[in-house]
Amino acid sequence: MKAFLPVALLLAALPALAQDIGALTAETKKAVLPVVPKVVAAMQEAVAEKGVAGAIPVCKDQAPELIKAKRQETGWDIRRVSLKTRNAERGTPDLWEVRQLADFNIRAANGEKIDTMEKSEIVSIDGKPVFRYMKALPVGDVCLKCHGAVDGMDAGLTAKLAESYPHDQATGYSKGQIRGALTVKRPL
């Protein structure tokens, strides 16, 4: 009888947990997702004004600053990650993120729209509950200029990318693929 008590308590808590995940997801999206169109708009503006090579600092420096401002505002761990990193220091996914990115790729291969792909979950990290959220980021037109096929890039851009990102793995994408994801860890 004692063995069934923890299971019964867990089952009783499931509806509340699901409601909490829904509320946490909505709150997280409202707070964090507005940074994505800001990054895209900054890239589009920089490409129009400075050309593709001149826009590299936006992705390298300005986008991380926008995300850093959100981290400071919320107190949450917020990053952009990818299975093919451009900046390994900032963009290397942890195991949970690798699993979600792999799942996103499977879902995309099965026809799911990338714009709708996300994952929310409460996990335990160092014995403490943490809310995890991840939103897939598709490759758009502006992304292809630096993340597309290398043989389609001019030599000046290739040299600038190699200078800025000596261990770059983030090329060879085509429009509509998953470039990576925006990921959030919120302590509860």
Side-chain angles (χ1 to χ4, degrees):
M1 181 70 160
K2 289 183 183 181
F4 292 109
L5 187 57
V7 173
L9 290 173
L10 178 61
L11 289 174
L14 284 178
L17 184 60
Q19 186 177 15
D20 288 347
I21 289 175
L24 288 165
T25 300
E27 184 180 26
T28 301
K29 289 169 66 169
K30 184 178 178 182
V32 175
L33 291 186
V35 79
V36 174
K38 287 181 183 179
V39 170
V40 172
M43 277 303 299
Q44 290 169 332
E45 185 179 311
V47 167
E49 289 177 11
K50 302 173 187 174
V52 177
I56 291 172
V58 171
C59 221
K60 184 177 182 193
D61 302 318
Q62 189 176 348
E65 284 300 317
L66 289 169
I67 292 169
K68 180 181 177 184
K70 274 293 172 196
R71 273 197 312 266
Q72 290 172 339
E73 176 188 317
T74 61
W76 307 335
D77 181 4
I78 306 166
R79 304 181 309 130
R80 291 181 303 167
V81 296
S82 177
L83 294 175
K84 291 172 53 175
T85 60
R86 175 151 280 173
N87 183 335
E89 279 180 33
R90 292 186 189 145
T92 300
D94 64 23
L95 183 58
W96 185 89
E97 293 160 339
V98 167
R99 287 180 181 147
Q100 304 324 312
L101 286 165
D103 183 59
F104 288 167
N105 284 328
I106 291 167
R107 290 163 57 186
N110 287 323
E112 188 174 335
K113 294 183 184 214
I114 296 169
D115 294 342
T116 65
M117 287 186 204
E118 62 183 12
K119 174 68 176 179
S120 300
E121 186 175 22
I122 296 174
V123 300
S124 178
I125 298 177
D126 297 328
K128 297 178 182 157
V130 175
F131 176 72
R132 303 284 317 246
Y133 174 78
M134 183 178 267
K135 172 77 173 150
L137 299 174
V139 175
D141 290 326
V142 74
C143 308
L144 286 176
K145 298 177 187 316
C146 290
H147 294 284
V150 176
D151 58 2
M153 295 179 197
D154 70 54
L157 175 59
T158 304
K160 185 71 172 168
L161 285 170
E163 176 188 321
S164 298
Y165 304 104
H167 304 290
D168 186 13
Q169 299 174 13
T171 57
Y173 287 98
S174 56
K175 187 174 178 177
Q177 288 185 306
I178 296 171
R179 166 67 189 99
L182 188 68
T183 183
V184 179
K185 281 194 273 187
R186 288 179 62 178
L188 297 177

